Amino acid sequence: MTSPFSRPGAAPFTERTPRVVAARKLTRRAERDKTGRFLAEGANAVEAALAHAWDGGGTVHELFVTERAAAQHENLLAVAEEAGVPVSPITDRAAGGLSETVTPQGIVAVCALIDRPLETVVAAGARLVVVLVDVADPGNAGTVIRVADAAGADAVVLAGDSVDPHNGKCVRAAAGSLFHPAIARVRDVPAALGACASAGLRTLAAHGYAETELDRIDLTPPTAWVFGNEAHGLPAEILGATDLAVRIPLYGRAESLNLATAAAVCVYATAMAARQPNG
Amino acid sequence: MTSPFSRPGAAPFTERTPRVVAARKLTRRAERDKTGRFLAEGANAVEAALAHAWDGGGTVHELFVTERAAAQHENLLAVAEEAGVPVSPITDRAAGGLSETVTPQGIVAVCALIDRPLETVVAAGARLVVVLVDVADPGNAGTVIRVADAAGADAVVLAGDSVDPHNGKCVRAAAGSLFHPAIARVRDVPAALGACASAGLRTLAAHGYAETELDRIDLTPPTAWVFGNEAHGLPAEILGATDLAVRIPLYGRAESLNLATAAAVCVYATAMAARQPNG
């Protein structure tokens, strides 16, 4: 395809161009919720967004690229063109304004929000779901979404006061996986747990002080793992509303694991157990 | 004990006080290697450093605290006093200069470097060792050290061009665990693998394109897990020098896991398998 930089008269958009100004506002959650749009930055995320849209799962409204990123990612621009997604050249400074990370990637898609209603996301037939309750750090949320995707989870539910999965740092940490498992956002945590139960999933709460250790339970049944806030864990009433609280055994002297590594251990142990030939 | 802030005439050290200036230089690797000292920042790290010194495993040369941190951590100051560690009050600005993180903790210990010679760290009887090859990000290295500690690993070896484990961001991510498993630094990666083999450990290389999947092998024998650089993985010659390359099965559409979550999955799967009643 023709690079947007080689078209005659196509001066790149600057940080003052109205479409860039509008896109930049999407770094704020309120604006994302109002417009139903968010920014997917970086080649991984853009590639996943385009593939997701191609599969009919979402919409990519437009794509911004710097000259350097356009040269690096010609294949992505070709995919965008084939899909009828407008591609606009931007300056490096404009790309910086669209980035929530220290190193702007120079390629950013404006996408339709990817979350869906809880009842369509957690449905009968699901075998592995991850529920995040009051998770505050977008990098953690994105890393857990990536782990959930790798483990073949059907869905990730961001419940309670959890961070918005469309946050730029979450998108970055998810490395494209944001578009893979079904994603729901729901304030009402008991409703999220109820949906899991209705879908036939056992709810397991990851809890550092639980009596039951991870390596002592049968991990083959369909399971929803529930993880709490990085500092405070799960509220007592949520713990009480799950089927079982489980702790990762600590064999050394560490007092805990961080959220993302704890989720990796629990979710992968479950995914691997469910697939064991004699499991 | 008496707070260092309540002693008559004890004005807090500023960022220009010679001992603070000397300590600040320890944020540089060259200075750490020259002096044999590093900074352990934060209550977790200071507590672990003092306990490690108490057990005869290391030395805490001195402790700096801000007024606010002194009020929050009276118990740690009492432990330091009992251990004969000098405690000095510092200003918030001085604490900022000793911190490599965005949010200074206000409590920083000057400690002797904790790494030991490879042959004492990887010795006969070891059952679980983690070898990091050319790992660049200090936060990743610290998170892996924390996971290794939690999983009861005997040692972590930082091999090749890996980051210095005494880096402030690594200390922070390790959350006290830096003082728990034995730690070695060694440029010569084949020497690290040779030490593992001599200690009777099977060496497993984590490799995204390996034929063998993690859930298809017996994880009960004593094992050294070998992880490569975040972007480039393990060099071919190192892969060839290990006993077996293993990949984490990807059940969804994620192309990979990040280093810390991949290490958590591999190391914990091994620790739990080795402790199964019928394992």
Side-chain angles (χ1 to χ4, degrees):
Chain A
M1 73 168 288
T2 321
S3 162
F5 286 90
S6 61
R7 288 183 209 134
F13 291 174
T14 74
E15 69 280 10
R16 287 182 299 276
T17 305
R19 269 162 62 194
V20 175
V21 172
R24 182 170 184 168
K25 287 184 185 161
L26 299 175
T27 58
R28 298 200 305 259
R29 182 173 187 162
E31 185 74 9
R32 292 193 294 266
D33 286 341
K34 194 176 90 182
T35 60
R37 298 178 171 207
F38 78 110
L39 300 175
E41 189 201 6
N44 277 337
V46 169
E47 184 177 0
L50 289 168
H52 186 60
W54 193 259
D55 293 343
T59 305
V60 179
H61 294 290
E62 67 180 319
L63 186 58
F64 295 115
V65 276
T66 61
E67 184 160 9
R68 205 159 81 97
Q72 281 175 332
H73 304 295
E74 283 186 19
N75 55 332
L76 284 183
L77 302 194
V79 171
E81 188 169 73
E82 192 174 352
V85 173
V87 179
S88 300
I90 56 172
T91 63
D92 288 343
R93 183 189 285 255
L98 298 180
S99 178
E100 286 176 80
T101 59
V102 190
T103 48
Q105 304 289 296
I107 182 161
V108 188
V110 179
C111 304
L113 298 182
I114 46 85
D115 65 307
R116 293 166 24 204
L118 177 64
E119 59 276 15
T120 66
V121 162
V122 179
R127 294 200 54 89
L128 181 57
V129 168
V130 175
V131 181
L132 300 181
V133 178
D134 302 341
V135 165
D137 181 81
N140 280 339
T143 304
V144 172
I145 291 170
R146 183 175 173 188
V147 164
D149 178 21
D154 301 287
V156 177
V157 179
L158 292 109
D161 265 332
S162 287
V163 68
D164 178 8
H166 305 98
N167 173 299
K169 290 188 180 121
C170 179
V171 176
R172 176 76 168 267
S177 287
L178 188 68
F179 298 91
H180 297 162
I183 306 266
R185 290 189 285 173
V186 54
R187 298 281 314 172
D188 183 346
V189 183
L193 300 182
C196 293
S198 300
L201 296 154
R202 174 182 59 168
T203 50
L204 297 183
H207 178 53
Y209 300 101
E211 275 187 33
T212 306
E213 292 190 333
L214 178 66
D215 59 339
R216 292 293 179 267
I217 56 172
D218 176 13
L219 289 170
T220 57
T223 295
W225 273 105
V226 186
F227 301 99
N229 174 268
E230 292 88 342
H232 310 297
L234 286 166
E237 69 274 19
I238 302 305
L239 270 176
T242 59
D243 292 324
L244 184 66
V246 178
R247 73 181 158 89
I248 296 175
L250 297 171
Y251 302 119
R253 282 180 285 167
E255 286 169 23
S256 64
L257 289 172
N258 73 26
L259 171 66
T261 52
V265 169
C266 294
V267 171
Y268 249 97
T270 309
M272 291 196 294
R275 285 170 176 84
Q276 277 299 317
N278 49 356
Chain B
M1 71 166 292
T2 319
S3 162
F5 286 89
S6 61
R7 288 183 208 133
F13 291 174
T14 74
E15 69 280 10
R16 287 182 298 276
T17 305
R19 268 159 64 192
V20 175
V21 172
R24 182 170 186 167
K25 287 184 184 160
L26 298 175
T27 57
R28 299 199 304 259
R29 182 173 188 162
E31 186 74 9
R32 292 193 293 267
D33 285 342
K34 194 177 90 183
T35 60
R37 297 178 172 205
F38 78 110
L39 300 175
E41 189 201 8
N44 277 337
V46 168
E47 183 178 0
L50 288 168
H52 186 61
W54 193 259
D55 293 343
T59 305
V60 180
H61 294 291
E62 68 180 321
L63 186 58
F64 295 114
V65 276
T66 62
E67 184 160 10
R68 204 160 82 97
Q72 281 174 332
H73 305 295
E74 283 186 18
N75 56 332
L76 283 184
L77 303 193
V79 172
E81 187 170 71
E82 194 175 350
V85 173
V87 179
S88 300
I90 56 172
T91 62
D92 288 342
R93 183 189 283 256
L98 298 180
S99 179
E100 285 177 79
T101 59
V102 189
T103 48
Q105 304 291 294
I107 182 162
V108 189
V110 178
C111 304
L113 298 182
I114 46 85
D115 65 308
R116 293 166 23 204
L118 177 64
E119 59 275 15
T120 67
V121 162
V122 180
R127 294 199 54 88
L128 182 56
V129 168
V130 175
V131 181
L132 299 180
V133 177
D134 303 341
V135 166
D137 181 80
N140 280 338
T143 303
V144 173
I145 290 169
R146 183 175 173 187
V147 164
D149 179 19
D154 301 287
V156 177
V157 179
L158 291 109
D161 265 333
S162 287
V163 67
D164 179 7
H166 305 96
N167 173 299
K169 289 188 181 120
C170 179
V171 175
R172 176 78 167 267
S177 287
L178 188 69
F179 298 92
H180 297 162
I183 306 266
R185 290 189 283 174
V186 55
R187 298 284 311 177
D188 184 347
V189 183
L193 300 181
C196 293
S198 299
L201 296 154
R202 174 182 60 167
T203 51
L204 297 183
H207 178 52
Y209 299 101
E211 276 187 32
T212 306
E213 291 190 334
L214 179 65
D215 60 340
R216 291 294 180 267
I217 55 172
D218 176 14
L219 288 170
T220 56
T223 295
W225 273 105
V226 186
F227 300 99
N229 173 269
E230 292 88 342
H232 310 297
L234 287 165
E237 69 273 20
I238 302 305
L239 270 176
T242 59
D243 292 324
L244 185 66
V246 177
R247 74 182 158 89
I248 296 175
L250 297 171
Y251 301 119
R253 281 179 287 167
E255 286 169 23
S256 63
L257 290 171
N258 74 25
L259 172 65
T261 52
V265 170
C266 294
V267 171
Y268 249 96
T270 309
M272 293 197 292
R275 285 171 175 83
Q276 277 300 318
N278 50 355

